[in-house]
Amino acid sequence: MKRIITLLLLGLAPFLQAQQINSTNFLKQIIPFPLGASLNPRLLEENLAYRTLAASEFNSITAENHMKMALIHPEANRFDFVKGDEIVAFAKKNKSRVHGHTLVWHNQTAQWMKDFQGDQQAWENLLKNHIQTIVKHYQGQIAGWDVVNEAFLDDGSLRPSIWADHIPDYLAKSFTWAHEADSKALLFYNDYGQDGKPKKMEAILNMVQDFKKRQIPIHGLGLQMHISIQSKNEEIKQVIDQSTATGLHIHFSEVDVAVNPKNNPDFVMDTIVQKAQSEKFLLLFSSYAAIPVKQQYGITFWNVGDKDSWLRGYFKRPKEYPLLFDESYQRKGAYEELYQWVKKK
Ligand code: G3I
């Protein structure tokens, strides 16, 4: 009985603390690095609560989908910057930084790219033109780019893709082309699930070492951090340490903490799960705060409120609550806990 009461009180703690933070205080004001979210322009336009929160709670913005190949370059001779430009304009209006995601990926490629026929030179021209047209379009407006996304498999091998298949050394070439187009933009390699996948992590570190040796411009590593309450803390800390040891900028680029990874239809977000989720957010923020300041590019959440998360749509997982804001765009207990933790530091 005593244990149950203690657990209940522990679970309630964040909500009791919530009373102390008023709506004019924001986490972004008290953390020393940019706090970001990926955004969906349709929600920005249609949903006032979403728009308000996106403007007030974050000072770094990533387009969740609209700078990806299929959307920004839908036909060989046509780029579509409309939605990307809307995101940039929103960020500008709110004095937020913009992070670009993503120039090269095996996924969300345009159909015309999948159908493309040509020799190596033709493929290189295609990819170089893609990268440089976009980077130049946003020159001076985008602080950093995920140049290549998710190029390695869990076993550390290069992921097969139209790029890997047709362009030898496509990673290094992509970074070089991006740098030629905007020498001031920070260039990131972005990937997920390095924790518990030592071969994948090793492949990323080898790539960094190789780039440095060949003077290929790379400035940062994006660790997506799509983690869950079951992720192992030691494994997370290890990949953060290994990434930090490169000396590059570190971006936790797509943070969410899944609470119902097995998609249990009867799942209930009780106080014990809330606490486990809060602890994971705290682990991420405290580990991030320990990274040397000059390497801190920021922490970005993958969208704003629980119901906007890709985990619900993509995995058809309606009972998933992975972010800091609930379905009514109210701060969750985890937000309050983070706020109090930063305040006390
Ligand atoms: O735009 C079409 C719409 O016209 C159509 O009616 C609808 C029907 O399914 O699909 C819409 O496209 C969806 C798109 O998101 C835009 O909403 C795609 O089906 C859907 O697959 C796509 O999912 C995105 C996913 O990347 C694609 O792999 C998620 O929103 C996005 O959050 C997710 O983001 C990735 C990062 O870029 C890289 N890291 C992993 C992360 C999560 O997968």
Side-chain angles (χ1 to χ4, degrees):
M1 186 62 181
K2 217 168 155 190
R3 193 174 126 75
I4 292 173
I5 292 173
T6 312
L7 280 174
L8 271 176
L9 283 176
L10 274 177
L12 279 175
F15 303 104
L16 297 175
Q17 287 167 353
Q19 311 304 321
Q20 297 163 15
I21 308 176
N22 67 43
S23 55
T24 55
N25 292 337
F26 299 97
L27 188 55
K28 74 173 185 189
Q29 296 168 329
I30 59 167
I31 54 168
F33 47 79
L35 187 67
S38 74
L39 296 182
N40 172 334
R42 183 181 54 77
L43 289 172
L44 267 187
E45 193 183 324
E46 290 172 0
N47 185 327
L48 176 64
Y50 182 91
R51 188 163 63 241
T52 306
L53 220 57
S56 58
E57 293 282 1
F58 302 103
N59 49 21
S60 180
I61 301 299
T62 305
E64 184 180 9
N65 284 297
H66 284 83
M67 292 187 189
K68 294 175 183 171
M69 290 175 142
L71 289 91
I72 206 165
H73 195 175
E75 291 168 38
N77 296 314
R78 186 169 70 87
F79 286 83
D80 180 351
F81 293 114
V82 174
K83 295 293 165 191
D85 288 357
E86 276 177 30
I87 299 243
V88 171
F90 176 82
K92 212 176 265 175
K93 191 165 151 223
N94 297 299
K95 300 190 171 48
S96 282
R97 176 183 75 179
V98 185
H99 178 72
H101 175 82
T102 172
L103 296 168
V104 187
W105 194 19
H106 66 279
N107 202 353
Q108 284 179 294
T109 52
Q111 189 57 46
W112 71 268
M113 293 174 176
K114 292 180 207 160
D115 297 339
F116 187 77
Q117 304 279 332
D119 60 10
Q120 185 187 324
Q121 191 57 53
W123 277 94
E124 290 197 8
N125 291 345
L126 182 168
L127 190 59
K128 181 177 178 184
N129 177 52
H130 172 82
I131 292 173
Q132 296 199 332
T133 305
I134 297 167
V135 173
K136 280 187 190 142
H137 178 84
Y138 289 115
Q139 188 169 18
Q141 305 184 77
I142 285 198
W145 277 104
D146 292 333
V147 177
V148 180
N149 194 39
E150 304 171 5
F152 298 105
L153 295 173
D154 291 353
D155 66 4
S157 61
L158 192 64
R159 184 192 293 275
S161 69
I162 52 175
W163 315 118
D165 290 350
H166 295 100
I167 307 178
D169 205 19
Y170 86 92
L171 279 117
K173 287 175 183 156
S174 299
F175 277 81
T176 304
W177 292 329
H179 189 66
E180 280 169 12
D182 183 356
S183 61
K184 293 211 177 94
L186 296 176
L187 305 182
F188 286 77
Y189 173 78
N190 192 48
D191 214 328
Y192 67 94
Q194 297 90 333
D195 48 309
K197 311 272 166 40
K199 295 276 183 212
K200 187 179 214 174
M201 190 66 228
E202 199 182 308
I204 296 169
L205 297 174
N206 287 342
M207 176 200 66
V208 171
Q209 225 176 19
D210 169 56
F211 278 17
K212 284 183 177 171
K213 218 183 298 161
R214 291 196 282 154
Q215 298 190 316
I216 306 292
I218 181 167
H219 311 107
L221 288 177
L223 284 75
Q224 296 182 9
M225 293 295 183
H226 292 295
I227 62 169
S228 87
I229 53 172
Q230 286 160 11
S231 301
K232 298 202 173 70
N233 292 357
E234 283 318 309
E235 292 178 347
I236 293 174
K237 284 190 205 156
Q238 194 186 357
V239 297
I240 296 171
D241 287 348
Q242 290 173 301
S243 303
T244 304
T246 61
L248 298 179
H249 292 274
I250 303 297
H251 185 199
F252 290 178
S253 54
E254 304 184 14
V255 172
D256 42 36
V257 179
V259 289
N260 185 17
K262 300 233 165 84
N263 198 7
N264 170 5
D266 303 321
F267 178 82
V268 175
M269 181 82 179
D270 61 19
T271 51
I272 294 175
V273 180
Q274 285 177 22
K275 186 162 184 305
Q277 189 186 43
S278 283
E279 279 173 5
K280 282 288 185 277
F281 282 126
L282 275 175
L283 171 84
L284 291 183
F285 274 69
S286 58
S287 308
Y288 199 80
I291 293 172
V293 172
K294 65 176 194 326
Q295 287 177 258
Q296 293 178 349
Y297 182 78
I299 295 185
T300 297
F301 288 87
W302 210 237
N303 225 314
V304 176
D306 283 340
K307 73 173 168 207
D308 315 315
S309 167
W310 71 290
L311 293 170
R312 287 204 182 177
Y314 198 79
F315 291 121
K316 307 211 173 5
R317 207 192 291 167
K319 293 194 174 164
E320 185 50 86
Y321 311 89
L323 293 165
L324 288 183
F325 299 91
D326 68 16
E327 311 204 348
S328 321
Y329 296 106
Q330 299 301 306
R331 292 168 175 176
K332 288 161 57 176
Y335 181 106
E336 313 292 346
E337 284 215 34
L338 272 179
Y339 189 93
Q340 298 299 349
W341 178 81
V342 179
K343 198 88 189 156
K344 262 190 238 136
K345 258 177 58 84

